[in-house]
């Protein structure tokens, strides 16, 4: 037996079959979020979908916990998942007093929302040999609920439906050939009517990043949309054969606009990340042309999977600033129906919801030099810096981790403010010509070596700002030594919660930014944060647990506490007011 | 297949003196008496620097000269065996295993690239 084989066998013995415990007391649990709750602005008693509601505000309408009493917030209960490799990166859901969340290896837990008592737990058997060869693995970033099921994707390319009441598998559909593509699913699915929709991983991975529409009841695949060259028009924007290895995964969940029956989804960057075509990128380099529909927001018909319209945020993205990050915040303002979307580059795009026409573009972060600016009327990139082989001078801003990371911001309909975390850092970069590696399985296609450095205006750092989502006008800002990498929660109690990188959860006054409460969870946050009601009482739930690929950068950038911070553990921490 | 560390060490030593093409030639031509493995690769695949920039540079910054997601690799005091083992086996939750992905010849080319790095 070679060492490699021994290792694989060792891992296989760790694989655990589903373990199921059923509590007979919970027979009355509704198994489906109400449509009205999904379409509302605020999540009320439940947190029924990844972004809170389809409006994607990450906003709770609960106000038992508020600016007056938040100082009395304390830990109600905790839950520790098994095998939290790369921490916990998921956003929990809550339905009728039950909290559901996923951990690494797509393990799923259903817990009594008031006590934390386990109702059921599920652990799929994964292809452990494949997992050991994966880079963006084995974390899972979230789940969806609908049709009496709970849905979770796996890194080995499957979408699994579990019975919401019992946690027993209902169906298990293989959607991707992950052994060949190397990547699978880490992002949360989205339930839309009779379908469950999920996007594959992969920007720097040479494939075509499909998004799938699957029938909730049966698990049958109904449609597949290729984000790379998925239409005739798009095929023309990839020189030669480059569409075959284009990247472009839709690895974070988008949302749904019921008024127009449209699914909004963001797509990843093309591969290789860094293109040596320089100013001649339309004709030369590894992927000549605009590379549709990478680094784009796309609008799909959920029934057919057909493209309705799109906007490519960065045509021919040569910097790895993809559009798959972030939520689609649906705002009605001055008779206009708008949607606000954060791009990894640090720019925020505001669109007309009926056609993805640009209404405004504004920068959230200061250190941006991959373009001079973006035209706020047309979205056109002005003064773009297309890179050639060799050292890039001056260094590129922001760094590869982006001006904005993949976790979500929040919007309060109460005061009209949008809360988003921005990152200030740059990197030295040397572009190198590479050839995609496809055999025997796909490998990262980066096309450069790089090194993080502080931006010209100060240390590498992060900030939370409260702004008008349409104009970008800033009301207040809080600065952090290290960028927080978790999602943000706004509540009707006039609070904004920020779980930070060092492990502290902060609660701020939503109008002023004044810090009103904080608590140390003991390890960095890399996940979502939600609020829900159980037994008439409001809870705040936040997974602690460190270890995303961006988090990995913090050791070299900041040293302690990250040098000593474990990346293979985590806990779900749930807070409530002291009795 | 295990690679005798003597061979790795000697390859690493002579690496800086060899052009990429010469290295590829030597490893493919090594034939029966030399246990150097399936380097059926094109010169492209066996270019350690290029492979590093394609895949490894995502985590080992500045071409392996600087700590990032993964540690600095230049001037490593680790043995050749250790480095080859790490590349093959990876580390769960930290680094992917490349043993089933790259041929031994490719891994040796990457090792030679790492050994040739200045700070």
């Amino acid at each position: 037996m070679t060492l490699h084989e021994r290792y694989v066998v060792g891992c296989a013995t760790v694989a655990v079959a589903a373990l199921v415990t059923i509590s007979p007391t919970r027979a009355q649990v509704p198994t489906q979020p109400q449509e009205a709750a999904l379409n509302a602005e605020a999540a009320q008693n439940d947190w029924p979908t990844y972004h809170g509601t389809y409006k994607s505000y990450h906003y709770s309408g609960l106000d038992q916990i508020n600016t007056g009493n938040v100082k009395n917030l304390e830990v109600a209960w905790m839950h520790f998942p098994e095998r939290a490799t790369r921490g916990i990166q998921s956003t929990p859901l809550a339905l009728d007093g039950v909290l559901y969340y996923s951990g690494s290896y797509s393990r799923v837990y259903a817990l009594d929302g008031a006590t934390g008592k386990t109702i059921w737990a599920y652990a799929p058997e994964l292809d452990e040999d494949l997992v050991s060869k994966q880079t963006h693995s084995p974390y899972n970033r979230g789940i969806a609920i609908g049709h009496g099921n709970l849905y979770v994707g796996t890194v080995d390319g499957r979408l699994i439906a579990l019975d919401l009441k019992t946690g027993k598998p209902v169906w298990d559909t293989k959607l991707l050939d992950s052994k060949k593509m190397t990547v699978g699913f880490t992002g949360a699915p989205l339930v839309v009517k009779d379908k469950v929709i999920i996007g594959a991983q992969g920007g720097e991975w040479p494939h075509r990043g499909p998004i799938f529409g699957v029938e909730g009841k049966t698990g049958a695949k109904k449609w597949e949309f290729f984000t790379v060259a998925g239409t005739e028009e798009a095929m023309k924007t990839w020189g030669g054969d480059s569409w075959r290895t284009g990247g472009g995964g839709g690895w974070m969940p988008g949302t749904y606009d019921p008024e127009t029956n449209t699914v909004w989804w963001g797509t990843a960057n093309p591969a290789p990340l860094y293109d040596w075509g320089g100013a001649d990128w339309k004709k030369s380099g590894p992927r000549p042309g605009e590379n549709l529909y990478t680094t784009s927001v796309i609008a799909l018909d959920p029934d057919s999977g057909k493209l309705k319209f799109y906007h490519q945020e960065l045509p021919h993205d040569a910097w790895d600033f993809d559009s798959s990050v972030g939520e689609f915040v649906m705002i009605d303002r001055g008779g206009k129906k708008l949607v606000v979307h954060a791009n990894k580059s640090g720019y925020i795009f505001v669109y007309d919801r009926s056609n993805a026409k640009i209404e405004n573009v504004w920068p959230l972060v200061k250190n941006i030099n991959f373009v001079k600016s973006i035209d706020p009327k047309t979205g056109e990139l002005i003064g773009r810096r297309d890179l050639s082989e060799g050292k890039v001078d001056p260094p590129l801003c922001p760094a590869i981790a982006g001006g904005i990371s993949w976790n979500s911001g929040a919007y309060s309909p109460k005061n009209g403010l949008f809360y988003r975390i921005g990152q200030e850092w740059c990197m030295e970069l040397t572009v190198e010509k590479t050839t995609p590696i496809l055999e025997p399985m796909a490998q990262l296609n980066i096309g450069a070596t790089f090194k993080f450095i502080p931006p010209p205006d100060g240390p590498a750092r992060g900030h939370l700002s409260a702004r008008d989502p349409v104009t970008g006008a800033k009301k207040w800002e809080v600065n952090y030594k290290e960028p927080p990498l978790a999602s943000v929660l706004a509540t009707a109690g006039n609070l904004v919660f920020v779980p930070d990188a060092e492990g502290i959860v902060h609660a701020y006054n939503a109008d002023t930014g004044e810090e009103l409460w904080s608590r140390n969870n003991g390890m960095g946050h890399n996940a979502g944060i939600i609020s829900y009601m159980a037994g008439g009482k409001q809870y705040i739930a936040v997974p602690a647990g460190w270890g995303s690929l961006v988090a990995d950068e913090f050791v070299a950038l900041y040293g302690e506490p990250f040098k000593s911070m474990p990346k293979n553990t985590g806990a779900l921490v749930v807070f409530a007011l002291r009795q | 297949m295990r690679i005798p560390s003597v061979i790795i060490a000697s390859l690493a030593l002579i690496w800086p003196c060899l052009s990429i093409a010469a290295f590829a030639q030597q490893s493919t031509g090594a034939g029966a008496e030399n246990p150097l493995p399936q380097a059926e690769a094109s010169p492209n695949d066996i270019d350690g620097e290029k492979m590093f920039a394609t895949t490894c540079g995502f985590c080992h910054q500045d071409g392996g000269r600087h700590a990032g997601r993964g540690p600095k690799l230049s001037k490593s005091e680790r043995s050749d065996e250790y480095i080859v083992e790490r590349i093959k086996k990876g580390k769960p939750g930290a680094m992917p295993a490349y043993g089933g992905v790259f041929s031994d010849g490719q891994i040796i080319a990457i090792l030679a690239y790492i050994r040739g790095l200045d700070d």
Side-chain angles (χ1 to χ4, degrees):
Chain A
M1 195 186 267
T2 64
L3 257 174
H4 178 69
E5 281 161 351
R6 236 180 286 154
Y7 173 68
V8 170
V9 173
C11 283
T13 57
V14 186
V16 186
L19 40 130
V20 178
T21 28
I22 304 163
S23 156
T25 55
R26 299 221 61 100
Q28 306 310 320
V29 179
T31 55
Q32 174 117 3
Q34 298 301 308
E35 228 160 83
L38 285 170
N39 294 336
E41 290 193 329
Q44 296 293 344
N45 292 353
D46 301 332
W47 194 275
T49 184
Y50 187 90
H51 294 301
T53 71
Y54 285 148
K55 296 239 184 276
S56 306
Y57 291 177
H58 289 258
Y59 174 78
S60 167
L62 303 177
D63 62 1
Q64 273 185 9
I65 301 166
N66 54 49
T67 47
N69 61 17
V70 67
K71 61 179 186 297
N72 299 325
L73 207 56
E74 63 179 22
V75 174
W77 54 267
M78 298 206 265
H79 181 265
F80 298 85
E82 252 191 309
R83 283 186 101 187
T85 311
R86 287 196 174 276
I88 311 179
Q89 303 189 25
S90 71
T91 296
L93 300 184
L95 191 64
D96 195 46
V98 180
L99 185 141
Y100 303 87
Y101 84 105
S102 60
S104 292
Y105 301 91
S106 298
R107 286 167 179 244
V108 185
Y109 304 90
L111 309 169
D112 183 308
T115 64
K117 187 168 175 289
T118 300
I119 297 167
W120 55 257
Y122 170 78
E125 259 183 80
L126 301 184
D127 180 340
E128 298 274 341
D129 177 46
L130 171 62
V131 170
S132 74
K133 294 173 182 162
Q134 292 178 318
T135 304
H136 296 84
S137 177
Y139 49 84
N140 180 276
R141 289 176 175 165
I143 51 181
I145 294 177
H147 325 114
N149 296 332
L150 182 148
Y151 301 105
V152 65
T154 68
V155 286
D156 57 4
R158 295 136 65 195
L159 180 63
I160 298 174
L162 304 174
D163 183 286
L164 191 71
K165 283 188 189 162
T166 65
K168 287 214 168 82
V170 178
W171 50 257
D172 184 333
T173 301
K174 179 110 184 139
L175 293 170
L176 289 171
D177 182 2
S178 296
K179 273 197 160 136
K180 192 93 196 120
M181 292 170 60
T182 309
V183 291
F185 300 107
T186 51
L190 176 76
V191 166
V192 175
K193 301 191 291 185
D194 60 335
K195 303 267 182 341
V196 46
I197 298 171
I198 190 163
Q201 284 179 285
E204 41 283 339
W205 293 91
H207 190 63
R208 299 177 62 197
I211 297 169
F212 296 92
V214 175
E215 191 171 59
K217 281 276 174 239
T218 63
K221 182 174 106 181
K222 289 294 169 186
W223 52 259
E224 176 171 9
F225 180 79
F226 286 103
T227 59
V228 171
T231 64
E232 292 281 312
E233 174 210 22
M235 189 68 89
K236 292 185 193 126
T237 65
W238 295 86
D241 254 6
S242 58
W243 60 274
R244 290 183 190 279
T245 53
W251 50 269
M252 284 296 288
T255 197
Y256 176 60
D257 182 2
E259 281 177 32
T260 59
N261 191 35
T262 304
V263 167
W264 287 76
W265 212 274
T267 67
N269 49 287
L273 302 191
Y274 302 100
D275 181 310
W276 52 88
D280 192 35
W281 56 264
K282 285 195 177 144
K283 299 221 172 57
S284 68
R287 43 180 174 86
E290 262 140 12
N291 306 150
L292 290 173
Y293 302 94
T294 60
T295 311
S296 302
V297 297
I298 58 176
L300 298 175
D301 180 325
D303 304 314
S304 66
K306 292 261 179 311
L307 184 73
K308 295 176 138 189
F309 49 84
Y310 71 94
H311 176 81
Q312 189 174 35
E313 294 186 332
L314 308 184
H316 189 89
D317 175 3
W319 317 277
D320 184 14
F321 295 148
D322 54 298
S323 301
S324 43
V325 290
E327 61 285 7
F328 289 87
V329 183
M330 311 262 176
I331 293 172
D332 296 351
R333 162 109 37 118
K336 285 188 175 169
K337 291 179 188 290
L338 306 172
V339 57
V340 179
H341 180 251
N343 176 276
K344 185 178 171 187
S345 65
Y347 278 100
I348 307 282
F349 287 72
V350 184
Y351 299 102
D352 180 329
R353 221 145 73 208
S354 66
N355 53 17
K357 289 265 179 304
I358 296 280
E359 288 283 333
N360 194 19
V361 184
W362 53 270
L364 179 79
V365 303
K366 297 188 187 78
N367 292 282
I368 297 179
N369 70 11
F370 77 102
V371 289
K372 281 217 169 62
S373 64
I374 298 184
D375 187 322
K377 293 211 164 60
T378 63
E380 191 193 339
L381 308 195
I382 297 166
R384 52 183 290 154
R385 278 178 77 193
D386 286 294
L387 315 174
S388 305
E389 199 179 357
K391 200 167 170 68
V392 170
D393 187 40
L396 187 68
C397 307
I400 186 170
I404 290 172
S405 195
W406 54 269
N407 260 313
S408 298
Y411 170 73
S412 168
K414 202 166 166 173
N415 63 12
L417 290 175
F418 180 50
Y419 306 93
R420 235 314 174 177
I421 286 164
Q423 307 169 153
E424 307 286 351
W425 43 31
C426 304
M427 67 178 188
E428 292 172 356
L429 177 70
T430 302
V431 176
E432 299 197 26
K433 287 188 181 172
T434 54
T435 333
I437 298 169
L438 306 171
E439 298 293 336
M441 58 198 295
Q443 294 305 314
L444 283 171
N445 194 6
I446 308 299
T449 60
F450 53 80
K451 178 181 156 191
F452 275 58
I453 54 166
D457 71 342
R461 63 195 189 276
H463 44 73
L464 171 81
S465 53
R467 295 171 185 259
D468 182 291
V470 178
T471 66
K474 185 160 73 182
K475 180 121 189 250
W476 54 261
E477 181 175 276
V478 178
N479 286 284
Y480 303 86
K481 204 166 138 244
E482 312 98 4
L485 296 180
S487 284
V488 176
L489 169 72
T491 74
N494 228 26
L495 295 167
V496 174
F497 289 87
V498 178
D500 81 8
E502 292 195 8
I504 317 275
V505 189
H506 306 264
Y508 302 103
N509 179 314
D511 293 327
T512 64
E514 183 197 351
E515 181 159 330
L516 301 175
W517 171 89
S518 73
R519 189 189 183 274
N520 189 352
N521 274 340
M523 55 191 141
H525 299 94
N526 230 170
I529 173 169
I530 68 162
S531 188
Y532 65 93
M533 197 78 107
K537 196 167 169 185
Q538 184 186 358
Y539 294 86
I540 307 279
V542 56
W546 189 241
S548 72
L549 271 297
V550 176
D552 280 356
E553 301 282 6
F554 281 38
V555 178
L557 273 169
Y558 302 111
E560 295 294 0
F562 304 102
K563 204 157 171 270
S564 310
M565 195 177 281
K567 289 196 277 196
N568 55 6
T569 187
L572 175 75
V573 186
V574 179
F575 297 96
L577 290 176
R578 193 180 308 143
Q579 285 301 348
Chain B
M1 184 186 289
R2 280 194 66 85
I3 310 158
S5 51
V6 191
I7 293 174
I8 298 167
S10 56
L11 267 172
L13 266 175
I14 57 172
W15 170 260
C17 321
L18 289 172
S19 76
I20 289 153
F23 179 77
Q25 240 171 33
Q26 180 179 336
S27 41
T28 42
E33 78 267 32
N34 191 327
L36 248 189
Q38 333 86 11
E40 10 71 30
S42 67
N44 226 1
D45 299 328
I46 207 93
D47 180 341
E49 180 176 356
K50 184 183 274 198
M51 289 176 67
F52 200 93
T54 309
T55 298
C56 318
F58 189 58
C59 297
H60 297 284
Q61 288 190 9
D62 199 12
R65 294 175 194 87
H66 194 266
R69 292 170 175 140
K72 167 178 179 297
L73 301 176
S74 54
K75 301 278 177 262
S76 172
E77 287 176 4
R78 304 285 198 189
S79 68
D80 290 345
E81 236 191 330
Y82 180 95
I83 290 178
V84 169
E85 278 298 292
R86 172 63 79 235
I87 297 172
K88 287 191 161 188
K89 284 171 49 178
K91 189 160 186 183
M95 171 169 156
Y98 293 99
V101 176
F102 294 144
S103 70
D104 288 348
Q106 287 173 315
I107 291 174
I108 291 171
I110 296 173
L111 169 69
Y113 162 77
I114 292 170
R115 289 303 190 206
L117 283 174
D118 288 329
D119 273 346

